[in-house]
Amino acid sequence: MEEVDVEPPVTNIPAAAAGKHLGFAWGPGDILCNMMMYPCPLSLSLNTKLLPSVLVRKDEDIYSPILRKLFNESHHIFVGLQTIREDLPSKNKKPQFVSISKNYRSVIRACMEELQQVAVSTQDAEVATQYGDQVSILLAIELIWNLCEVLFIDAAPAGSLLLHLLDWVRLHKADVDEKARDVLQSESPAEHESYWDVVLGYVLQGRLEEARQMLVKQASLHPAARNMFKLMDTLLSKMPFYNPSGTQTLTEFDVKWRHWHEEVDRCLQDNSFASNQHLEAICKILVGDEDTLLEHKDLLSTWYHFLVTRLLFCHPTVKPTELHYYAQSCLTMFLDSRSAPEPLDSILLAAFEFDIHQVIKDCSIALNNWWFVAHLTDLLDHCKLLQSHNLHFGSNLREFLLLEYASGLFTHHSLWQLAVDYFDHCPEFGRVYLELQIERVPLDTERKALKVLRICEQRQMSEQVRSICKIMAMRALRNNRLGSALSWSIRAKDAAFATLISERFLQDYCAKGTFSDLDLIDNLGPAMLLSDRLTFLGKYREFHKLYGEKRFREAAKLLLSLMTAKIAPRSFWMTLLTDALPLLEQKEVIFSADQTHELMFCLEELTSSLNTEEDIEVTKVELLRLALARNLAMAIVKEGTVEA
Amino acid sequence: MFVARSIAADHKDLIHDVSYDFHGRRMATCSSDQSVKVWDKSENGEWHCTASWKTHSGSVWRVTWAHPEFGQVLASCSFDRTAAVWEEIVGESNDKQRGLSHWIKRTTLVDSRTSVTDVKFAPKHMGLMLTTCSADGVVRIYEAPDVMNLSQWSLQHEISCKLSCSCISWNPSSSRAHPPMFAVGSDDSNVAYGGKVQIYEYNENTRKYAKAETLMTVTDAVHDIAFAPNLGRSFHVLAIATKDVRIFKLAPMRKESTSTGPTKFEVQIVAQFDNHNSQVWRVSWNITSTLLASSGDDGCVRLWKANYMDNWKCTGILKGDGSPLTGSSGQPTAMSTVVGSSVQASQSALNGMSAGRYFFPPLDPPRAGTRYGHLLPPSSLIENCDVEPIQPQQQVLPHRLSSRALLPLPEAEGQ
């Protein structure tokens, strides 16, 4: 399991002079580069006015609109997979895992088809190339995934294994059907130049029924060779295929197959098809002749097709454990004329060798996105395959890949919401990654802030909740939106900030004589208790309301209690006393004698602490004293009268 | 995968530092032209210069953003021996329409007698605190006791490090188990002076910062230093830019409950790379500390990444290709291959950056004609930002509240 030592990719940055210093700064998901010099006042003569910036996108595919569907839909499958119950016996889970694997593949297929359509229909050559690239990547991904599904997840036993592999090859080598369509649509199919390619193509994929139907067309052209065609038809129709759901045992099938194989071999020895080179070739393929198979490399096109065809006609009961031997030899035989195997070849070979770790590693090196390795590894981990292969860091590998994938999603302006669920299912570092990432989500609008907030609240991420509310409160305050600032700071339970904003409200009131955001202040409820100043603000507003409703007695009582209960800040007492003035000067007595006493006491307490006696204050104090004295007199008279 | 984009910064001299704000939507640059510029990212992802003003009377070495909880606040430090704190004020509406913003100086910190080489805000859980370090070897920690009044900063701590300081980094961990801690690096090149990285830790009992550790193995000049985000681990990770890139692991050792001295650390070097083959000037972590970037005298920025077995490897190199930045008229210019020389060698997809499609043999696509196209890099756009230098208006905002206004309540009518 050696790490492949690969040269790191080099990226050239336009406009940065070679050899000049490059500086940089990290942004969320991006990297920015700039040129700069370092503290050295002597180099001032050098002139660098340009700031080339480089955005590094971790996962460029994230920005493809069509691939977004892949991310969205696979997210649902992923979440579904995480909820499969652990306690089910593994036998019951296997069909579920296979079906999940198929769901993933069908999402890939759907995306691939959509990309293909766009690539074909677009006028823009560059876009077409780009989408074409993505199609070929998805094809490779689906090919690998499908093989992993057959070998690891479904883990078909001998017999069924070959049937699955045949399906795999048929699915990914669909050009036979295309050619067949051309041939059949032509005026005389049997004379079409691709006719024999189609027949051979069918045979190589074990699609013998279709091969027979094609052969019928040829037979009718050659009445003289009727018997020969008839013989071939019989051979093809008699070839036994294993039926896993049937009653036949594998041994019985093997006996039957050998019998058939001998019969084909006999026909070959008899030179039954010597007069027709095509039929002769088919017969040789049926008998599993390697040289003949290799002569049709162009029809097979890949070594793994060759492998499956060879297994079909030589070793139909191949066991999973024997696969790697055949795979290796097929690769060598098939590629001898070509150069070294490509990454895809090594990945498939590793799969045939059941080396899951190597498959994942090679894929993460060769592919340009984390989507595939993250989801496949997660699925394999759920199938308990990583442990059974003695990777003691198995769950770490899964988490490592999921974290990388999710971090990539987080750089996208809307896909980041999917990433949250991935982080939730990473037991070790998921939460701390989410905490670090989510607080960096730009809070462009209140709506987005609320969305981020909800995610944090659901996960009891109290520090992030506080921070987001604080940021929003600060922003609102800076823009003089006091109501919004107050409600955010109440949400943040930030007493100091609530005090500060309440202060601003009062200040505004002092300046303008009216309150803004009445709805909010009137409905503070228990939130009022967050800070003393907020309580005062709420209560003071209540006073104004009572006053407005002409409930003077209640208003007066409240006003007084704001001072006597020390709810009001001392700096505000003068304002409160001034507010009492019109109440004192009503015709009706509102403040009782006791209350007036208390008011007077408050006034004295205040004036004794005032060190600078400004003119206006002196006037006001005099005015108040007068009003208080008059009210006291009236109150005493009134109270005396009532009692008497 | 890289997308390169260039902006004409229009600084009149060398750019020394660039810094993103917390959400990555704004950035600030500073230069030897004594100015700071602020850039805002527009809806379509382009950067526009929204403010540019003279900040100091000498080269501006570093610029840094405060956490947005404290508003829009920048700090800068300079060769002119000062550090300054700047706050953006919400200007007139027509300024906003013109895409300009106003920054006003809230304070100048003049305690240093030599060039102030680095300035950093402390982690936000400590409140609004600013740290500077200077060439005379002093680290100063300031605090704004009232976060709404940034004109008042009090010097809380003055720590003498004995060696000319070049860089500081706070440990971002907010865990209660970790007392406030910072690392300071020295660019003194005299090897005989011993370790050039010192770790200081706050002591609750003495209410002072005390030296907890000196990294004795780092004896060459240190140019930059960066603590990694903690990720809830018990140990800390520190990256150092010296003649090479080094990553250290600092594991606090179990403390006697009676001990009042600073924490002792088990210091372990995790990785050391001399790939730059020259002095390394900057190191910086990404948000989740899965990637470290470093830049050096070789003109390259290198990206480092650990795999799941904690093996560190170089996963990418960015370097100037020497091509002139053309199209300063603001015309989009297609850059030749941005992926460039990576095509042959980019097998490492550890960061998902490799041009993976190159390696796949042609498969059979559903239809012919679209196979094996290579990755075509998007053409880069060169944006030109011609912004007039904006003179900040020094404004004093009225903070005083006048509680003395008479508040006439509507005269109630008698019943």
Side-chain angles (χ1 to χ4, degrees):
Chain A
M1 224 70 65
E2 272 299 293
E3 287 275 325
V4 198
D5 250 321
V6 283
E7 277 296 303
V10 177
T11 299
N12 284 321
I13 297 156
K20 275 278 176 62
H21 288 138
L22 283 171
F24 55 86
W26 283 109
D30 301 336
I31 184 176
L32 175 122
C33 251
N34 75 314
M35 275 191 292
M36 57 187 182
M37 282 298 300
Y38 298 88
C40 170
L42 294 176
S43 54
L44 286 176
S45 56
L46 285 167
N47 204 1
T48 310
K49 294 178 193 166
L50 295 168
L51 173 84
S53 72
V54 175
L55 298 158
V56 178
R57 290 191 165 150
K58 285 175 161 178
D59 231 338
E60 132 228 17
D61 285 344
I62 284 177
Y63 294 87
S64 156
I66 295 168
L67 290 181
R68 281 193 58 171
K69 282 188 194 152
L70 177 70
F71 301 132
N72 271 317
E73 302 205 355
S74 55
H75 164 256
H76 292 302
I77 304 173
F78 173 83
V79 172
L81 173 58
Q82 312 306 312
T83 54
I84 287 189
R85 282 170 53 205
E86 281 289 321
D87 51 347
L88 284 176
S90 55
K91 210 181 222 174
N92 299 3
K93 278 196 276 187
K94 191 165 128 180
Q96 290 196 52
F97 289 141
V98 172
S99 117
I100 281 171
S101 175
K102 287 194 168 134
N103 286 345
Y104 275 129
R105 286 201 293 119
S106 73
V107 172
I108 302 174
R109 285 246 149 208
C111 249
M112 206 151 68
E113 274 160 29
E114 195 173 338
L115 277 170
Q116 184 66 38
Q117 276 171 7
V118 178
V120 169
S121 62
T122 183
Q123 303 290 320
D124 186 338
E126 199 175 316
V127 172
T129 325
Q130 195 193 334
Y131 284 175
D133 284 350
Q134 284 174 344
V135 169
S136 61
I137 287 273
L138 287 180
L139 267 169
I141 285 176
E142 212 261 334
L143 178 78
I144 301 166
W145 192 306
N146 195 351
L147 184 62
C148 290
E149 180 184 305
V150 169
L151 297 177
F152 308 144
I153 302 167
D154 207 1
S160 321
L161 176 64
L162 179 71
L163 298 177
H164 285 299
L165 288 175
L166 269 176
D167 285 340
W168 174 62
V169 159
R170 285 169 191 165
L171 187 62
H172 293 94
K173 178 85 175 109
D175 65 337
V176 180
D177 296 297
E178 233 169 288
K179 267 193 215 162
R181 215 172 303 129
D182 286 351
V183 168
L184 290 173
Q185 278 165 2
S186 68
E187 280 183 14
S188 59
E191 282 164 350
H192 192 280
E193 54 172 355
S194 299
Y195 172 83
W196 284 109
D197 283 355
V198 171
V199 177
L200 284 168
Y202 279 144
V203 173
L204 290 170
Q205 291 191 0
R207 296 159 70 171
L208 304 183
E209 206 48 49
E210 283 151 297
R212 282 171 62 204
Q213 280 170 20
M214 285 302 266
L215 277 176
V216 170
K217 299 189 190 305
Q218 191 74 15
S220 57
L221 281 186
H222 304 277
R226 231 187 83 202
N227 284 337
M228 192 165 63
F229 277 97
K230 187 119 195 249
L231 178 61
M232 176 53 75
D233 191 61
T234 318
L235 285 180
L236 289 173
S237 66
K238 275 165 73 184
M239 176 167 178
F241 280 88
Y242 181 66
N243 178 6
S245 56
T247 49
Q248 190 184 39
T249 66
L250 195 61
T251 330
E252 283 165 0
F253 163 74
D254 196 39
V255 170
K256 208 171 155 196
W257 183 83
R258 277 176 202 287
H259 203 74
W260 171 83
H261 197 258
E262 277 161 25
E263 194 181 331
V264 178
D265 201 33
R266 215 159 34 240
C267 292
L268 199 62
Q269 305 301 329
D270 296 351
N271 288 326
S272 306
F273 302 108
S275 60
N276 185 319
Q277 49 150 344
H278 296 296
L279 292 184
E280 174 106 357
I282 292 174
C283 188
K284 280 182 175 171
I285 290 170
L286 291 182
V287 86
D289 184 76
E290 277 163 8
D291 294 331
T292 315
L293 285 175
L294 286 171
E295 277 165 28
H296 295 95
K297 261 187 194 175
D298 54 330
L299 290 179
L300 291 165
S301 81
T302 58
W303 65 271
Y304 45 88
H305 190 340
F306 172 53
L307 165 70
V308 175
T309 307
R310 193 177 150 207
L311 291 174
L312 173 66
F313 296 114
C314 302
H315 314 279
T317 57
V318 63
K319 295 192 192 87
T321 45
E322 299 161 347
L323 264 182
H324 71 98
Y325 160 74
Y326 295 113
Q328 183 65 61
S329 76
C330 284
L331 180 66
T332 326
M333 283 162 78
F334 199 83
L335 289 188
D336 57 0
S337 60
R338 277 164 57 183
S339 52
E342 307 251 351
L344 181 62
D345 300 329
S346 335
I347 293 168
L348 294 175
L349 190 61
F352 283 122
E353 287 166 353
F354 285 84
D355 189 344
I356 295 180
H357 185 232
Q358 195 63 38
V359 172
I360 292 166
K361 224 182 73 168
D362 286 357
C363 286
S364 59
I365 289 173
L367 290 166
N368 68 335
N369 68 58
W370 292 104
W371 179 88
F372 172 58
V373 277
H375 287 92
L376 181 65
T377 309
D378 174 57
L379 181 57
L380 294 176
D381 190 55
H382 276 273
C383 300
K384 305 268 181 254
L385 284 164
L386 296 181
Q387 273 103 328
S388 65
H389 281 71
N390 290 329
L391 307 177
H392 43 265
F393 42 80
S395 65
N396 275 345
L397 176 63
R398 168 188 173 272
E399 179 158 326
F400 175 84
L401 296 169
L402 285 177
L403 289 173
E404 288 295 340
Y405 172 64
S407 299
L409 286 181
F410 239 103
T411 62
H412 190 273
H413 60 88
S414 64
L415 288 175
W416 63 269
Q417 295 167 75
L418 302 180
V420 174
D421 285 317
Y422 287 91
F423 283 138
D424 281 349
H425 291 104
C426 293
E428 204 180 343
F429 286 116
R431 185 174 171 100
V432 60
Y433 266 61
L434 180 59
E435 287 174 356
L436 287 169
Q437 297 276 9
I438 202 152
E439 60 183 13
R440 303 275 180 162
V441 174
L443 307 168
D444 305 317
T445 58
E446 296 237 339
R447 207 168 139 243
K448 191 159 178 196
L450 287 169
K451 196 185 266 177
V452 176
L453 203 60
R454 199 161 49 242
I455 290 169
C456 294
E457 280 171 348
Q458 282 161 358
R459 288 160 185 79
Q460 280 92 44
M461 292 159 63
S462 51
E463 171 49 27
Q464 281 67 29
V465 168
R466 193 202 58 75
S467 185
I468 290 163
C469 294
K470 183 72 190 284
I471 292 170
M472 294 307 287
M474 186 57 124
R475 188 184 298 170
L477 182 65
R478 274 165 40 81
N479 291 306
N480 259 320
R481 289 183 289 114
L482 291 184
S484 168
L486 184 60
S487 62
W488 279 111
S489 54
I490 288 170
R491 210 162 168 167
K493 299 195 176 57
D494 185 339
F497 212 64
T499 301
L500 191 133
I501 296 161
S502 310
E503 207 61 83
R504 282 283 179 89
F505 265 108
L506 295 169
Q507 205 177 315
D508 266 18
Y509 172 74
C510 291
K512 295 179 201 152
T514 50
F515 281 109
S516 53
D517 301 284
L518 286 178
D519 269 4
L520 178 68
I521 303 173
D522 286 348
N523 297 301
L524 280 174
M528 196 190 282
L529 300 173
L530 179 61
S531 94
D532 291 353
R533 202 53 48 89
L534 186 59
T535 316
F536 172 64
L537 175 66
K539 289 287 171 195
Y540 187 53
R541 164 63 197 153
E542 210 175 302
F543 160 74
H544 279 262
K545 231 163 95 180
L546 291 171
Y547 191 101
E549 290 163 6
K550 300 207 172 82
R551 293 155 69 184
F552 297 128
R553 275 175 212 291
E554 287 160 82
K557 197 176 159 206
L558 179 59
L559 187 70
L560 186 62
S561 70
L562 285 178
M563 281 182 285
T564 52
K566 312 273 183 227
I567 296 170
R570 186 60 66 85
S571 60
F572 217 79
W573 280 26
M574 188 54 90
T575 311
L576 293 180
L577 288 167
T578 320
D579 284 341
L581 210 51
L583 287 170
L584 291 168
E585 298 194 339
Q586 291 283 339
K587 281 176 197 142
E588 194 191 350
V589 177
I590 293 165
F591 285 103
S592 69
D594 286 348
Q595 285 175 322
T596 317
H597 272 298
E598 282 187 271
L599 275 177
M600 289 169 125
F601 184 74
C602 290
L603 181 63
E604 290 316 305
E605 204 180 319
L606 185 64
T607 46
S608 62
S609 64
L610 283 177
N611 36 18
T612 53
E613 293 281 324
E614 289 170 35
D615 280 353
I616 181 151
E617 292 297 322
V618 174
T619 326
K620 209 192 284 178
V621 170
E622 288 308 314
L623 214 64
L624 273 167
R625 283 198 177 123
L626 182 66
L628 284 166
R630 274 166 47 184
N631 191 70
L632 183 61
M634 279 166 69
I636 290 171
V637 169
K638 192 187 165 207
E639 281 162 29
T641 318
V642 171
E643 271 164 32
Chain B
M1 173 61 199
F2 302 91
V3 183
R5 231 175 222 209
S6 294
I7 310 163
D10 210 31
H11 271 294
K12 305 278 183 290
D13 211 323
L14 298 168
I15 297 162
H16 294 291
D17 196 16
V18 52
S19 158
Y20 273 111
D21 81 334
F22 189 72
H23 291 120
R25 291 301 180 90
R26 315 190 83 183
M27 64 177 178
T29 55
C30 65
S31 156
S32 269
D33 68 7
Q34 310 182 352
S35 74
V36 164
K37 284 175 196 279
V38 172
W39 306 78
D40 283 279
K41 199 176 185 178
S42 65
E43 293 281 314
N44 57 16
E46 308 208 341
W47 291 98
H48 298 281
C49 181
T50 54
S52 171
W53 70 100
K54 184 173 184 295
T55 49
H56 289 274
S57 55
S59 288
V60 189
W61 299 141
R62 300 262 196 166
V63 61
T64 187
W65 294 85
H67 194 276
E69 277 184 24
F70 305 111
Q72 295 298 308
V73 179
L74 279 174
S76 59
C77 67
S78 161
F79 182 65
D80 72 3
R81 301 182 287 187
T82 67
V85 176
W86 309 88
E87 187 174 21
E88 185 184 35
I89 54 162
V90 180
E92 308 291 307
S93 56
N94 55 349
D95 277 344
K96 233 179 203 167
Q97 277 160 13
R98 276 158 57 213
L100 303 178
S101 65
H102 285 297
W103 290 79
I104 63 174
K105 188 191 269 187
R106 289 301 188 197
T107 196
T108 306
L109 306 169
V110 295
D111 301 279
S112 172
R113 290 167 185 209
T114 53
S115 173
V116 181
T117 48
D118 199 358
V119 61
K120 295 273 164 67
F121 285 100
K124 70 161 194 291
H125 64 266
M126 293 168 60
L128 185 53
M129 296 185 109
L130 188 66
T131 327
T132 64
C133 71
S134 50
D136 58 4
V138 180
V139 172
R140 292 181 176 85
I141 301 176
Y142 299 87
E143 183 174 15
D146 175 5
V147 298
M148 295 312 292
N149 179 7
L150 300 184
S151 55
Q152 279 182 15
W153 290 81
S154 58
L155 179 58
Q156 295 284 329
H157 302 278
E158 225 171 357
I159 303 135
S160 173
C161 304
K162 311 274 195 305
L163 289 169
S164 166
C165 299
S166 55
C167 48
I168 35 177
S169 174
W170 280 94
N171 178 3
S173 171
S174 60
S175 156
R176 273 158 218 258
H178 303 140
M181 177 168 100
F182 66 86
V184 56
S186 166
D187 57 357
D188 193 307
S189 52
N190 191 332
V191 179
Y193 289 168
K196 294 299 177 346
V197 173
Q198 301 173 26
I199 314 281
Y200 288 85
E201 195 188 60
Y202 186 67
N203 186 317
E204 283 291 346
N205 299 316
T206 61
R207 299 189 176 184
K208 281 198 163 75
Y209 282 87
K211 196 195 291 185
E213 197 66 57
T214 303
L215 303 188
M216 297 310 292
T217 53
V218 185
T219 52
D220 293 277
V222 169
H223 308 292
D224 199 14
I225 197 162
F227 270 108
N230 181 269
L231 299 183
R233 297 175 294 215
S234 62
F235 57 88
H236 314 294
V237 176
L238 183 67
I240 293 170
T242 170
K243 62 175 181 182
D244 48 23
V245 180
R246 293 186 207 181
I247 302 171
F248 283 93
K249 194 163 149 182
L250 305 170
M253 293 201 271
R254 193 180 289 275
K255 238 205 286 198
E256 300 289 316
S257 54
T258 51
S259 149
T260 52
T263 317
K264 286 288 158 211
F265 292 94
E266 192 187 316
V267 180
Q268 188 191 340
I269 186 153
V270 183
Q272 181 168 7
F273 309 106
D274 53 7
N275 305 45
H276 281 291
N277 229 332
S278 60
Q279 292 294 315
V280 181
W281 290 99
R282 280 289 165 94
V283 281
S284 172
W285 297 94
N286 69 345
I287 296 175
T288 49
S289 73
T290 51
L291 272 176
L292 176 73
S294 65
S295 72
D297 262 342
D298 59 349
C300 293
V301 172
R302 286 168 199 272
L303 302 175
W304 311 93
K305 184 169 179 58
N307 69 5
Y308 54 92
M309 301 203 288
D310 225 15
N311 289 332
W312 287 85
K313 280 214 158 82
C314 183
T315 67
I317 300 171
L318 318 181
K319 73 179 182 197
D321 62 358
S323 73
L325 180 68
T326 50
S328 54
S329 58
Q331 294 294 316
T333 309
M335 283 298 158
S336 58
T337 354
V338 178
V339 175
S341 52
S342 66
V343 171
Q344 291 118 15
S346 63
Q347 294 197 356
S348 162
L350 279 172
N351 193 27
M353 294 185 294
S354 89
R357 46 204 69 180
Y358 179 77
F359 295 94
F360 284 100
L363 292 165
D364 300 295
R367 319 263 179 302
T370 54
R371 1 205 271 185
Y372 47 66
H374 298 317
L375 173 68
L376 268 193
S379 52
S380 333
L381 289 177
I382 296 159
E383 303 148 27
N384 198 11
C385 183
D386 292 317
V387 180
E388 295 291 309
I390 300 144
Q391 289 306 319
Q393 288 178 1
Q394 295 285 346
Q395 286 187 5
V396 182
L397 287 182
H399 263 277
R400 223 169 68 95
L401 103 102
S402 71
S403 63
R404 291 159 186 189
L406 262 170
L407 290 175
L409 281 174
E411 176 67 37
E413 291 149 37
Q415 276 90 342

